[in-house]
Amino acid sequence: VRRQLLRLYGTVLPTLEPRELAPFVPLAVIFTCSAMTHILDDIRADAVKFLDLLADAAPATVAQFAPRVLPSFFSLLETSTAAADGARTEANARTALLSQGRRLAILRSCHKFLCVFTRPLVPSSDALAFMAPPPAPPVACTEQLFFPDTTAPFAALNLFGEADAGSSPDADAATDTAGAVRAQSTAALDRLFPFLQATWIESAAIFAGGNISADDSLQLCSLTLQTLQVLWRAVYANAVPPHETRLIGFLRQCSTFFPFGKDYSGDTAVEDALLALNTRVCELAALVQLGTEVDSNVDALASSDVNSSSEAKPSSDVGLVRVFKRATRFMLQTLGHKQTRLVRHEQFGELLAVAWQLARGGGRSDAEQLLTAVMYYAGVCPLASPSKTLAIRFLTCIIDAQWTRVPEPGALD
């Protein structure tokens, strides 16, 4: 009966408008979350499928119930990896034995919901939204007094209980929403990271051998990095701070087999999955590089004398810098003279974002090589292709940033 009902919902829900579903979503979410924690595996699996249908039909409405939905996913995905203190529960013992197929289905649904939930933090659907200029600083109160350029220049003083002209209810609501999403994303990262790390360690063994195929292990690796990417973008938009040891440690774990499938050639789906994996690792490396600000000269770090009077970098920085260099090298091989195939323009847009982040965090030499690689790739793209247009826009934004804006600190100034 449940399966037939799911088929019916799968046919009817896509035909309805979100506003028509909105009055029924709260009750549907309550029953769905109850089913997601049911003792029977089949009921839990069907509940996850129904939540996917709801998220596709009314994403904005379903996202409002994240405080209720996310804990249900936690109960499904948490493992006993953090139960060293003996607080292992029956639920943890049960979910620790999830098959790869069941774990893949739950993780795929969790990733979809996190994408819907964190959508308010996505600035734009434009592929070059990461190059948007920073918002202008607010005008000081004294400047408003002597140089009134707003409809209510004295509103900042709040003399008569008037609203500040520099803000609006919509802007305040958007700020509150973004803050709530970021706070819940931080909690989700805390809860999901042990499971994601354990899943990665188990599934990444596929890269140890030379036989890579489009099986559940490769899909689990892809979904693990996709889910972590959604979370680190929501929590740390521009840089991963040094105190975030979990993501930095995870980056070190990824470096064991990075770049993944270096010499692989065969199935196009596998090649696309490997490119996406490598691109996400490069993005994490770039964000860690921007946040830690370690010296990019790996040779100087490796040969530094800890007994010298000058301040020496910790030995762990040498390993991080090597990861940064390997990420830069991968981008140069993918976009530069050694590239072997052209990628789709969606993939090229993701590569551009990572190249920009690596160029900002690296040294001047790395930045010049990365930009040269982008120009080379743009040159070999077919005429009037979306990738060539995107590359021209990318270079135009760089020129505009250099000549018409206040330069930001970094290697590209």
Side-chain angles (χ1 to χ4, degrees), residues 118-135:
T118 59
R119 193 168 296 172
L121 299 179
V122 179
S124 171
S125 59
D126 185 9
L128 298 183
F130 59 92
M131 302 191 72

Side-chain angles (χ1 to χ4, degrees), residues 56-361:
D56 291 335
T61 306
V62 175
Q64 299 176 7
F65 299 92
R68 182 181 293 271
V69 175
L70 287 177
S72 299
F73 275 118
F74 299 156
S75 66
L76 288 175
L77 295 175
E78 281 180 337
T79 67
S80 58
T81 54
D85 56 351
R88 178 170 177 169
T89 64
E90 183 180 355
N92 283 333
R94 183 179 65 249
T95 55
L97 300 177
L98 286 174
S99 64
Q100 279 193 335
R102 184 62 60 84
R103 201 185 317 177
L104 188 62
I106 298 174
L107 187 56
R108 185 180 290 113
S109 178
C110 182
H111 170 259
K112 177 186 291 186
F113 182 80
L114 286 173
C115 290
V116 171
F117 170 62
T118 59
R119 193 168 296 172
L121 299 179
V122 179
S124 171
S125 59
D126 185 9
L128 298 183
F130 59 92
M131 302 191 72
V139 181
C141 179
T142 55
E143 296 180 359
Q144 289 185 356
L145 290 175
F146 293 101
F147 304 99
D149 55 356
T150 62
T151 56
F154 301 99
L157 299 178
N158 196 23
L159 296 177
F160 309 104
E162 53 192 337
D164 189 353
S167 62
S168 64
D170 293 339
D172 294 340
T175 302
D176 295 341
T177 301
V181 171
R182 185 168 287 108
Q184 294 186 48
S185 300
T186 303
L189 179 61
D190 296 338
R191 295 290 298 273
L192 290 177
F193 184 80
F195 169 82
L196 296 174
Q197 185 179 39
T199 301
W200 175 265
I201 294 174
E202 176 186 345
S203 304
I206 188 177
F207 303 118
N211 187 15
I212 303 177
S213 59
D215 57 2
D216 288 347
S217 295
L218 182 60
Q219 294 184 50
L220 276 174
C221 289
S222 299
L223 269 176
T224 298
L225 271 180
Q226 289 178 36
T227 305
L228 277 176
Q229 183 187 47
V230 172
L231 292 175
W232 78 52
R233 285 180 174 180
V235 180
Y236 308 110
N238 300 317
V240 174
H243 63 78
E244 182 50 78
T245 56
R246 296 170 303 181
L247 291 177
I248 296 176
F250 183 79
L251 176 62
R252 296 181 191 277
Q253 290 178 338
C254 293
S255 66
T256 304
F257 303 110
F258 177 79
F260 310 109
K262 181 179 180 181
D263 300 323
Y264 179 85
S265 177
D267 190 355
T268 304
V270 176
E271 291 182 354
D272 290 342
L274 292 174
L275 176 61
L277 282 170
N278 290 320
T279 303
R280 292 186 178 96
V281 172
C282 289
E283 178 181 332
L284 180 58
L287 293 178
V288 171
Q289 185 179 35
L290 288 168
T292 55
E293 298 181 352
V294 297
D295 194 342
S296 61
N297 189 348
V298 64
D299 298 327
L301 284 174
S303 61
S304 61
D305 184 4
V306 295
N307 296 323
S308 61
S309 57
S310 61
E311 182 181 0
K313 293 283 184 181
S315 58
S316 60
D317 285 357
V318 179
L320 280 180
V321 171
R322 289 197 176 101
V323 177
F324 303 155
K325 292 294 183 181
R326 288 163 64 183
T328 302
R329 193 178 304 117
F330 171 81
M331 297 297 297
L332 294 176
Q333 293 174 351
T334 305
L335 298 175
H337 296 273
K338 296 183 179 181
Q339 59 92 14
T340 57
R341 70 185 182 103
L342 297 179
V343 299
R344 298 193 304 272
H345 71 277
E346 299 89 352
Q347 298 170 323
F348 182 56
E350 296 177 357
L351 291 170
L352 280 180
V354 176
W356 175 251
Q357 292 168 329
L358 285 172
R360 289 179 56 224

